Amino acid sequence: MTIAVTDVDAAGPATGLVPSFTVVPGAVVHRVLEGARREVIDVVERAYRTHGAGETVNPPSYFLRFPERPTSRIIALPASAGGSIGVDGIKWISSFPGNVADGIPRASAVMILNDQRTGYPIACLEASIISAARTAASAALAARVLTGADRRPRRLGIVGAGLISRYVYEYLVEDGWEFERIGVHDLSTAHAEGLRERVERDGTAVEVHSDAESLIRGSDLIVFATVAATPHVEAPEWFDHGPLVLHVSLRDLSPSVIRSATNLVDDVDHCLRAETSVHLTEQETGNRDFVAGTLYDVLTGALTPPATGTIVFSPFGLGVLDLAVAKFVHDRARLAGGAVGVDDFFHDLRRHG
C-alpha cells in the first residue's frame, strides 16, 4: 500500500510515493520464525556474504550507558543492506540484567525498517526475538562451517542458561546436530535447571555442572552466552582437548585463552572494540595477529579452519544480520496478514499545507 502525494514547488509539480507503515507484534514474529529456523540460517549466511562483498553499510554500534545503572545499557545498531536484501534500518535493544530477578527477560528491542527509495520508515517490529534468532542462526552457521566430518562435536556444553542459550540449542538441533551428552553451567542453579528441563524434553540427558572447568573439559562444542562484563575463564589448559567455542557473549575468555586458540570473528573492526575479549587481547599484545580471519573468509574458501586445536568464534553481532532477519519476518508477516497497518501514520505531507 502506498499513498500518492502531489508536491508543487518552484520547479513545477512532482509526484512522490509514501510507503505505508506497519507494526509486527512479537506473537507474529514468533510464529514466522518458529517454523523457519533453517531458512533463517540461510538468511544470515546471505547477510554475511552480502556484508563480506562490500554491499552493506554497518557503522559501529552506539551504546547508551547509565552511570547510576552501570550494568544496564541500550544499544543502537544502524545498518543498510544492498543486494537481494535491499533495506535500511536500526535495532534499538536494551539489556537490563536486573530484569531477570523480577521474572522478565533481560533484553527488549524494537526494529525499524526504512524504504531505500524514500527513506520513509515502513515497519516497526518487536525485535528481541529477531535478535535472539539472528544470534542463534549465526552460531549454528559457524558450527556448521567450522567443523568437518572428521571434527563433528558430540558433546555440547552451555555456559549461561538464558534465552540466548535456548535459542542456540534449538537452532543447532534444527540444523541437524545430535549430541551424546549435554552439559549446562550457570551461576544460578535455578536457571541451569530450567534449561536442563527444556533440553531433556527432546530426549537427551543433561548434566548441570557446578563449575565451568568440568563443563569445558568435558565438551567439544562450547557455547558461551552469559552477561559477563569481564573475563572469568582464564585457564588455557581447560581447552587442551581442542573444542570449538562459540563465544556469543564475547567477554568470557581471558586474553591468555584467546591467544592459545585460532580466532575467527564476524567483522574484525567491529569485534575488536567495547572491551570484548579479543579487544582486550589487542590492547595487551598491541596487534591483531591473533585473529585468523572472519566467518566470511571461511564461507568463501579464503580460509580453511584447522583440523585440530581450539577454535574460538567471537561474533559481535552485525546490524545487517538483524536487518536481514527483520526483512524476512516483515515480508512473511505481510503475506500472512500478520502485519498491522497504521493508517495515516504519516501526516501533513504537503510542503506548504
Side-chain angles (χ1 to χ4, degrees), residues 108-339:
S108 58
V110 294
M111 188 95 193
I112 301 294
L113 302 182
N114 292 76
D115 174 55
Q116 288 197 321
R117 189 174 81 84
T118 64
Y120 273 76
I122 57 174
C124 176
L125 301 91
E126 196 287 329
S128 65
I129 301 171
I130 289 171
S131 187
R134 69 87 157 141
T135 300
S138 170
L141 176 65
R144 180 198 296 174
V145 302
L146 296 178
T147 58
D150 57 344
R151 183 179 177 150
R152 186 73 168 174
R154 303 289 291 176
R155 301 172 300 166
L156 173 64
I158 301 173
V159 182
L163 179 142
I164 296 298
S165 292
R166 170 168 65 84
Y167 268 72
V168 172
Y169 162 75
E170 291 172 346
Y171 270 75
L172 287 170
V173 170
E174 188 68 28
D175 203 39
W177 288 80
E178 296 179 356
F179 299 104
E180 298 171 352
R181 193 163 72 239
I182 297 177
V184 175
H185 169 68
D186 193 285
L187 295 178
S188 166
T189 302
H191 294 163
E193 288 292 339
L195 184 58
R196 178 188 64 78
E197 292 174 6
R198 162 64 190 90
V199 173
E200 287 190 340
R201 290 204 301 269
D202 291 340
T204 302
V206 177
E207 179 183 358
V208 173
H209 292 251
S210 60
D211 62 287
E213 179 181 358
S214 64
L215 179 139
I216 291 168
R217 288 187 182 275
S219 306
D220 44 22
L221 174 61
I222 303 166
V223 176
F224 282 93
T226 74
V227 293
T230 56
H232 57 96
V233 176
E234 301 183 349
E237 61 269 20
W238 292 3
F239 302 84
D240 282 347
H241 55 300
L244 170 62
V245 180
L246 304 177
H247 192 200
V248 174
S249 41
L250 292 170
R251 297 172 178 84
D252 301 272
L253 305 179
S254 70
S256 60
V257 173
I258 293 294
R259 291 197 311 271
S260 70
T262 297
N263 290 280
L264 297 163
V265 298
D266 51 3
D267 183 288
V268 176
D269 289 333
H270 282 79
C271 203
L272 274 71
R273 64 173 68 239
E275 306 299 310
T276 62
S277 292
V278 287
H279 185 208
L280 295 177
T281 306
E282 179 190 30
Q283 293 173 341
E284 185 176 282
T285 63
N287 61 64
R288 298 180 171 184
D289 296 344
F290 58 90
V291 178
T294 67
L295 191 62
Y296 175 74
D297 294 332
V298 179
L299 287 170
T300 57
L303 173 67
T304 300
T308 60
T310 301
I311 298 176
V312 176
F313 175 58
S314 299
F316 194 75
L318 299 174
V320 293
L321 305 185
D322 296 290
L323 202 58
V325 175
K327 176 69 159 41
F328 171 82
V329 170
H330 180 249
D331 291 348
R332 287 289 177 91
R334 283 178 65 93
L335 287 173

